[in-house]
Amino acid sequence: MAVCKILKMGDPRLWLEAEPVTEFNTPALKTLIEDMLDTMRANSGAGLAAPQIGIPLRVIVFEVRQNPRYPEAEAVPLTILINPAIEPVGEEGDTGWEACLSVPGLRGLVSRPGAVRYRGQNEKGEFFERLATGFHARVVQHENDHLNGILYPMRVENLRYFGYEDTLFPDT
Ligand code: NI
């Protein structure tokens, strides 16, 4: 079990374009995925991208199940997604509050496509594809952004809706 240090906003490594994974079934990839899951769960995160622990590879993990940080969110299956490609499905947008383990204590309102199709590889290199809506769609888009050097505050359209969690939501 290895809980890694999470890079915070301001660290230039978070702005990098991550590199595709080309070798699967390696001890290094297995360790990276285990470390990411341990780190995500230890911090009650809904997802984590490899660049957040300083590894510039296109690997994301996410899972939502009775998460105290997102009590209202519907369950999202544990997913290990490598070299993802995401495309919006339909025209419908969705606006929701986001948070990020690299931006602790803050929340911001972000608009994104409401439904997406994503495709990528699992830890064995096998391709899979899913259709996602709701919080699932939001999480996969948020994590994929990390692979392109984008943090959610860069997508907050009105900074009035970006602030401290305990001030925005004093009752939770
Ligand atoms: Ni994040």
Side-chain angles (χ1 to χ4, degrees), residues 2 15-16 24 32 38 46 48 50 62 64 91 101 107 109 124 127 137-138 141 147 154 157 165 170:
W15 312 141
L16 298 174
F24 293 84
L32 171 64
D38 289 343
L48 192 76
F62 49 89
V64 177
E91 301 289 305
L101 295 175
R107 294 252 171 168
L109 202 57
K124 295 175 188 155
F127 284 91
R138 180 168 298 282
Q141 291 176 85
L147 306 182
M154 297 156 80
E157 284 159 27
E165 201 162 22

Side-chain angles (χ1 to χ4, degrees), residues 47-49 52 99-103 142-143 146 151-152:
L48 192 76
Q52 290 182 276
C100 180
L101 295 175
S102 293
V103 191
H142 173 117
E143 299 310 331
H146 279 295
L151 296 180
Y152 84 83

